[in-house]
Amino acid sequence: MSLKVNETFNHSFKPRVIKNSRKTILTISELTKSYNSSRNVLNKVSLEIKSGELIGIIGKSGAGKSTLLHCINGSKKTNSGSILHHQNNGSVQDITKYNSKNIRSWKRCCGTIYQDFCLVPRLDVITNVLMGRLGYESNFKTLFKIFKNKDKEKAIELLDWLKILPHALQRAENLSGGQQQRVAICRALMQEPDILLADEPVASLDPKNTHKIMDALTKVSHKGISVIVNLHSIELVKQYCTRVIGLSQGSVVFDGSPNNLTSNDLDNIYNDETTL
Ligand SMILES: Nc1ncnc2c1ncn2[C@@H]1O[C@H](COP(=O)(O)OP(=O)(O)O)[C@@H](O)[C@H]1O
Ligand SMILES: [Mg+2]
């Protein structure tokens, strides 16, 4: 693909929602999930998620953090409870009732990034970002990397927004971990999601790159997108998140402002495990 990175683009990538006008995006009610009958990995989890929130999910390893994200994005079937999506057109759909076709379109609305970026290492950065259109374009077009000009412009705009445009034509595998994670965020945003889920997105990054990714997620939330991020660091939660949810053995044991998180709450969440 030929690309002039110095070309001028119309920067129309503006916040969609004013911070004070937060609306409910998801209503999760009594969500229960077990992988086998012996115990519930998620136990009657109820949460209301609003636009523009940056929510940190904390809890011990095995508490159910990843499972919760997988249930929200439809990758894992739930046993009972509901996840209502309040759509932009006013209709409300329970995503736990979706068939596989509906789940595919739900994943456009609900982007996910992971600890290990999940980019295609030998493809260049811009093509990796354009792969975010997979949910919209035919397999044929994506296979032969036939992308519309407006999608290329959007990809460039996103890369510029997260300050990685100069690397647009490099292979993804040649970028640092922090740069790759920013590419993964751009790829997720190509779908124009309402929600971005991030499963330990900074677990493999050094402190400088960790802050760059948390800054990027903050920018995403300021666009009105709800960001839900699994984190291990209480410091990061306190510095960046607007809300923190503590999970212990699949149950929500804290839900509130990070400023209100006491050492007693941390004991409940981590069952006395040292966390700082
Ligand atoms: N695919 C699976 N099959 C069976 N058990 C699973 C599976 N995935 C996760 N678990 C179990 O569910 C529990 C919660 O896991 P997980 O959601 O990955 O927790 P966390 O992300 O908080 O570390 C753990 O006990 C884990 O072993
Ligand atoms: Mg996990």
Side-chain angles (χ1 to χ4, degrees):
M1 177 189 304
S2 70
L3 173 73
K4 287 188 206 141
V5 289
N6 290 328
E7 236 170 299
T8 337
F9 288 95
N10 173 20
H11 286 257
S12 57
F13 206 57
K14 299 268 161 52
R16 292 186 302 188
V17 175
I18 309 159
K19 265 194 176 177
N20 293 336
S21 66
R22 286 186 173 164
K23 62 176 188 113
T24 300
I25 299 289
L26 283 184
T27 308
I28 302 175
S29 303
E30 307 228 315
L31 193 71
T32 296
K33 164 76 184 166
S34 61
Y35 289 101
N36 49 49
S37 52
S38 63
R39 73 179 181 100
N40 289 338
V41 169
L42 293 177
N43 200 13
K44 295 194 170 184
V45 169
S46 295
L47 300 165
E48 185 156 295
I49 312 290
K50 298 207 179 255
S51 59
E53 289 191 290
L54 175 43
I55 302 174
I57 303 204
I58 57 173
K60 281 205 299 196
S61 184
K65 303 180 296 297
S66 297
T67 301
L68 177 60
L69 297 193
H70 285 134
C71 289
I72 293 175
N73 74 12
S75 304
K76 294 260 194 297
K77 283 241 167 258
T78 54
N79 294 67
S80 61
S82 58
I83 304 176
L84 301 184
H85 177 218
H86 302 259
Q87 299 181 331
N88 289 329
N89 63 10
S91 78
V92 180
Q93 301 286 338
D94 184 353
I95 70 132
T96 66
K97 305 276 190 299
Y98 278 173
N99 61 23
S100 53
K101 187 173 166 229
N102 291 334
I103 290 287
R104 269 200 302 282
S105 58
W106 167 239
K107 284 188 178 193
R108 290 183 212 150
C109 230
C110 181
T112 311
I113 60 166
Y114 300 93
Q115 178 179 343
D116 53 2
F117 327 124
C118 296
L119 301 177
V120 183
R122 295 174 72 81
L123 279 183
D124 61 37
V125 162
I126 184 117
T127 309
N128 266 287
V129 174
L130 284 162
M131 300 297 257
R133 295 301 293 176
L134 261 176
Y136 288 98
E137 300 297 343
S138 69
N139 289 343
F140 172 83
K141 282 190 175 168
T142 313
L143 185 66
F144 290 98
K145 304 190 194 70
I146 304 167
F147 299 106
K148 293 183 184 127
N149 280 343
K150 77 171 174 47
D151 289 338
K152 290 181 199 169
E153 285 180 20
K154 175 145 185 91
I156 288 167
E157 203 178 296
L158 283 166
L159 289 166
D160 193 27
W161 191 61
L162 288 188
K163 301 189 170 58
I164 27 174
L165 186 55
H167 303 285
L169 299 180
Q170 288 179 25
R171 279 186 184 183
E173 63 189 356
N174 293 336
L175 268 58
S176 73
Q179 289 166 335
Q180 289 193 47
Q181 193 59 288
R182 279 183 283 155
V183 175
I185 294 172
C186 292
R187 183 182 55 186
L189 294 184
M190 278 302 285
Q191 307 175 95
E192 301 186 339
D194 284 346
I195 303 164
L196 179 66
L197 307 177
D199 198 357
E200 300 197 19
V202 297
S204 62
L205 302 181
D206 60 35
K208 193 173 159 209
N209 277 305
T210 291
H211 286 289
K212 282 190 177 171
I213 295 305
M214 293 308 297
D215 286 338
L217 294 177
T218 304
K219 277 172 91 168
V220 172
S221 72
H222 286 171
K223 277 173 50 60
I225 295 171
S226 318
V227 180
I228 308 179
V229 51
N230 287 349
L231 287 170
H232 270 303
S233 157
I234 307 299
E235 294 301 330
L236 289 179
V237 167
K238 291 197 165 179
Q239 190 176 345
Y240 289 97
C241 296
T242 57
R243 175 177 167 195
V244 57
I245 292 166
L247 272 187
S248 176
Q249 297 177 40
S251 296
V252 174
V253 293
F254 184 90
D255 183 358
S257 162
N259 296 333
N260 297 337
L261 199 58
T262 64
S263 56
N264 217 358
D265 295 318
L266 289 173
D267 285 348
N268 282 338
I269 296 165
Y270 290 98
N271 312 122
D272 292 329
E273 207 181 59
T274 308
T275 56
L276 291 172

